[in-house]
Amino acid sequence: MPPMLLRAAALALTLAMSPMAIAASPEPLQLQQAEALTYWKPVEGTFRPRLNADPGRVQFAEEVTVAYSVNKRGRTYDVKVVDAKPSTAFSGWALNAVKAMRFTATDSNTERTPIRSEMTARWGGGK
């Protein structure tokens, strides 16, 4: 095969594969919490996230909104605190809890579509 034709074929193949590569790793769907639960449901069980602070010495945020993504394996990633009340209080407990969560795909999510959503957690400890 002549080198010029070989280069043209390689370029055509590269361009043809680019959309497939993009489609293989889609951005997670942005969903409200109620809709997110139609794709992924939390796995029940006991987990103990690290607190990294003593609730007797540090004021814990009473309510924390956390943004998170769930990958095809049901694991959370890109977990961030969006809001905390009070804002100056320790919100790491919620961040660590969401990082520790695992999800299972619902029956309607057979393709295991990655999602991005938010949830609000309330601190019940120390009361």
Side-chain angles (χ1 to χ4, degrees):
M1 187 179 262
M4 185 67 134
L5 187 57
L6 188 57
R7 279 189 226 124
L11 178 61
L13 182 60
T14 301
L15 292 175
M17 289 180 63
S18 294
M20 289 180 359
I22 292 169
S25 59
E27 289 293 315
L29 293 177
Q30 300 283 330
L31 303 173
Q32 296 295 322
Q33 182 62 29
E35 192 176 8
L37 292 172
T38 66
Y39 284 80
W40 295 94
K41 59 184 174 185
V43 172
E44 291 186 26
T46 303
F47 62 93
R48 290 178 173 50
R50 295 174 314 209
L51 289 180
N52 298 335
D54 178 2
R57 300 170 127 204
V58 176
Q59 180 188 10
F60 275 36
E62 294 174 10
E63 183 177 285
V64 182
T65 300
V66 179
Y68 65 97
S69 296
V70 177
N71 66 19
K72 285 184 169 278
R73 294 177 50 215
R75 299 196 180 270
T76 57
Y77 69 98
D78 194 20
V79 181
K80 297 179 179 167
V81 172
V82 175
D83 188 35
K85 294 177 184 162
S87 61
T88 56
F90 177 70
S91 57
W93 65 267
L95 195 69
N96 290 334
V98 174
K99 284 180 181 178
M101 290 179 75
R102 298 297 177 253
F103 291 82
T104 186
T106 61
D107 292 339
S108 62
N109 187 14
T110 57
E111 293 186 19
R112 305 179 67 80
T113 304
I115 61 146
R116 178 112 182 121
S117 192
E118 292 182 358
M119 72 172 63
T120 300
R122 289 173 184 79
W123 175 256
K127 288 187 177 182

